[in-house]
């Protein structure tokens, strides 16, 4: 799969922008706050319906405009897909594929797969479990539409159950309806737990091999899923925790409370890993993500690197750059020194200055 072209109108600081991408390495360089990341965000948004920044649609619309328009041309298996997306301030986004409107966002998933790597991702190991859950949920949603449907349904049930737990304070008779929500929560939750566990076992094997090479064959890495129900059937745990849930007015167990553990030589890297170790694990995870998508789809994903090279030491930079040569990549950076020093083959270079993008080669 390849992205061929991007068009933006009133998106962030771009009144109008039209770009054609090389199928290999594309570099966008310039000072900070000029609009480089906005290009990667637009590509990612058009292909996934979501911003990597967890931003609301209205915040991505250019100043003084009521809506923004994005067009992304993707080629997959020699077939072109034109993704049209309209962002509006006061209504849901509109999406069309090859001029045919779609009703649900999940219809878009699977056309193009991305791996997005930003400086924030280097902190995924030491940050809270919510960030790690978002990582695994997005990865699975890209690869499995059934999972996306289960996750959407689970989140709706959680919201309904939590509302009910709050309402019990004013109407105790509602407690009889908890069984209905618990039944649904257990059904969707068990499927989510199973899918996450299965994916992490595959991802862990790949990341472990990469991490072993990155550390000069000195450190072993293990990745595994940590369910909050501790492998006890979710339905049983919900029943056991009911009084606690009523007291806290929220659901205290389930996939929305689970975590991912990263162990280096048997030590929990989330808590005891050095910054260098945590960053090496994060890099291993992202490189493993590329291989995992390839194993599912038989195609390379599109790699988006947002100013991440400046956060890596030379050894990790070189390892990353050596492993993306055959992948279509969009890279943002403040300068070109990293690539000159690496003697890296760059296919297209764009200079970005205050929302203006100039192709240099």
């Amino acid at each position: 799969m390849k992205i061929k072209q991007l068009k933006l109108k009133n998106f962030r600081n771009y009144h109008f922008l039209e770009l054609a991408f090389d199928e290999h390495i594309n570099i966008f360089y310039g000072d900070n706050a000029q609009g480089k990341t906005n290009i990667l965000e637009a590509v990612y948004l058009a292909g996934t319906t979501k911003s990597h920044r967890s931003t609301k649609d209205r915040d991505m619309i250019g100043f003084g405009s009521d809506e923004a328009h994005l067009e992304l041309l993707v080629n997959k298996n020699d077939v072109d897909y034109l993704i049209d997306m309209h962002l509006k301030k006061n209504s849901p986004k509109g999406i069309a594929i090859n001029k045919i409107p779609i009703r649900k966002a999940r219809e878009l998933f699977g056309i193009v797969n991305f791996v997005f790597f930003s400086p924030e991702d280097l902190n995924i190991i030491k940050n809270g479990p919510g960030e790690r859950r978002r990582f695994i949920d997005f990865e699975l949603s890209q690869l499995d539409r059934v999972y996306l449907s289960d996750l959407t349904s689970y989140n709706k049930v959680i919201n309904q159950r939590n509302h009910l737990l709050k309402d019990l304070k004013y109407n105790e008779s509602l407690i009889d309806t908890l069984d209905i929500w618990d039944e649904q929560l257990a059904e969707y939750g068990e499927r989510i737990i199973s899918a996450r566990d299965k994916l992490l076992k595959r991802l862990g094997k790949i990341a472990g091999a990469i991490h072993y090479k990155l550390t000069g064959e000195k450190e072993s890495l293990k990745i595994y899923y940590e369910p909050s129900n501790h492998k006890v059937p979710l339905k049983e745990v919900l029943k056991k925790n009911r009084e606690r849930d009523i007291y806290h007015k929220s659901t205290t167990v389930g996939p929305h409370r689970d975590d991912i553990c990263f162990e280096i030589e048997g030590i929990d890297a989330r808590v005891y890993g050095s910054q260098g170790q945590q960053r090496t694990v994060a890099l291993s995870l992202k490189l493993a993500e590329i291989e995992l998508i390839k194993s599912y789809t038989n195609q390379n994903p599109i790699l988006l690197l947002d100013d991440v090279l400046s956060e890596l030491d030379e050894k990790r930079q070189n390892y990353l750059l050596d492993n993306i040569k055959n992948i279509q990549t969009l890279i943002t950076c403040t300068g070109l020194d990293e690539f000159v020093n690496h003697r890296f083959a760059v296919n297209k270079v764009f200079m970005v200055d205050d929302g203006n993008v100039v192709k240099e080669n």
Side-chain angles (χ1 to χ4, degrees):
M1 66 186 75
K2 304 291 180 186
I3 53 173
K4 296 169 71 174
Q5 193 175 62
L6 174 70
K7 291 183 181 180
L8 301 177
K9 185 176 181 181
N10 298 325
F11 180 84
R12 294 287 191 185
N13 65 329
Y14 292 103
H15 176 65
F16 181 80
L17 178 66
E18 184 172 342
L19 292 173
F21 300 106
D22 188 88
E23 63 179 15
H24 297 295
I25 306 299
N26 302 264
I27 293 178
F28 298 85
Y29 80 96
D31 293 336
N32 292 324
Q34 303 302 305
K36 303 186 301 294
T37 298
N38 296 343
I39 294 171
L40 270 57
E41 179 183 38
V43 169
Y44 188 81
L45 175 70
T48 67
T49 77
K50 297 184 182 296
S51 165
H52 70 288
R53 294 164 164 164
S54 301
T55 307
K56 294 180 179 178
D57 288 356
R58 62 169 59 242
D59 297 329
M60 294 181 280
I61 298 172
F63 182 76
S65 301
D66 293 323
E67 65 177 71
H69 182 212
L70 302 84
E71 282 188 12
L72 186 68
L73 183 61
V74 178
N75 184 273
K76 184 176 182 180
N77 297 326
D78 295 324
V79 177
D80 282 347
Y81 296 88
L82 180 63
I83 301 169
D84 266 299
M85 185 174 291
H86 285 269
L87 307 181
K88 302 174 183 179
K89 282 191 173 179
N90 300 310
S91 58
K93 63 172 68 69
I95 307 170
I97 301 172
N98 291 337
K99 304 299 182 182
I100 300 174
I102 63 174
R103 297 179 60 187
K104 296 182 178 179
R106 64 173 175 261
E107 296 177 49
L108 180 62
F109 277 62
I111 291 178
V112 58
N113 298 100
F114 293 109
V115 172
F116 200 113
F117 195 10
S118 70
E120 290 75 24
D121 292 313
L122 290 167
N123 297 320
I124 190 173
I125 311 304
K126 71 175 181 180
N127 284 356
E131 192 167 331
R132 292 186 283 274
R133 287 193 298 269
R134 280 191 293 274
F135 163 76
I136 193 67
D137 283 341
F138 179 74
E139 197 57 58
L140 274 163
S141 295
Q142 281 198 95
L143 300 169
D144 185 351
R145 291 187 181 184
V146 173
Y147 181 85
L148 178 59
S149 177
D150 285 342
L151 183 65
T152 302
S153 298
Y154 179 85
N155 288 333
K156 288 179 181 177
V157 174
I158 278 288
N159 288 334
Q160 293 286 352
R161 189 177 192 271
N162 287 343
H163 280 304
L164 176 59
L165 290 169
K166 292 179 176 68
D167 291 342
L168 285 175
K169 179 180 179 181
Y170 308 102
N171 186 354
E172 291 184 1
S173 66
L174 291 172
I175 197 169
D176 294 334
T177 63
L178 261 179
D179 287 336
I180 299 171
W181 296 116
D182 287 2
E183 194 79 35
Q184 295 183 51
L185 198 68
E187 179 185 348
Y188 293 123
E190 291 287 5
R191 293 209 292 259
I192 289 168
I193 291 167
S194 176
R196 286 177 176 176
D197 184 58
K198 184 179 178 181
L199 184 91
L200 281 171
K201 284 176 179 173
R202 292 183 66 173
L203 188 68
K205 287 181 180 179
I206 302 169
I210 293 170
H211 187 270
Y212 193 59
K213 291 179 183 177
L214 266 171
T215 58
E217 302 183 352
K218 293 178 181 178
E219 293 182 350
S220 63
L221 169 68
K222 290 185 179 179
I223 301 174
Y224 58 87
Y225 191 53
E226 283 189 335
S228 55
N229 60 323
H230 303 292
K231 298 184 180 181
V232 177
L234 192 53
K235 190 175 180 179
E236 290 183 23
V237 180
L238 287 168
K239 186 176 181 179
K240 181 182 178 182
N241 286 13
R242 179 169 288 190
E243 291 302 319
R244 186 173 71 170
D245 287 358
I246 292 171
Y247 177 79
H248 288 287
K249 300 181 179 63
S250 67
T251 306
T252 57
V253 67
H256 64 294
R257 294 294 183 98
D258 295 353
D259 202 353
I260 302 170
C261 184
F262 303 87
E263 283 188 357
I264 300 175
E265 298 295 319
I267 304 299
D268 190 340
R270 297 170 299 185
V271 181
Y272 302 107
S274 67
Q275 184 182 56
Q277 286 177 315
Q278 290 174 342
R279 289 188 164 206
T280 301
V281 173
L283 178 56
S284 302
L285 192 64
K286 282 295 172 180
L287 289 170
E289 196 179 344
I290 294 171
E291 295 302 315
L292 183 76
I293 291 173
K294 196 187 303 183
S295 72
Y296 269 86
T297 66
N298 293 318
Q299 298 190 52
N300 283 320
I302 311 302
L303 181 59
L304 307 175
L305 296 178
D306 187 21
D307 201 26
V308 77
L309 292 174
S310 61
E311 301 292 327
L312 299 173
D313 60 25
E314 186 176 357
K315 178 183 176 182
R316 294 184 183 92
Q317 277 187 19
N318 291 344
Y319 193 94
L320 174 59
L321 294 174
D322 284 337
N323 281 274
I324 64 173
K325 290 178 179 178
N326 298 317
I327 300 172
Q328 186 181 31
T329 307
L330 276 60
I331 303 174
T332 68
C333 57
T334 53
L336 299 175
D337 291 346
E338 299 100 327
F339 308 98
V340 173
N341 294 339
H342 193 76
R343 297 177 181 175
F344 191 68
V346 176
N347 304 96
K348 272 193 177 181
V349 176
F350 302 88
M351 192 270 288
V352 182
D353 181 29
D354 194 23
N356 296 302
V357 181
V358 178
K359 179 176 172 294
E360 293 196 343
N361 77 333

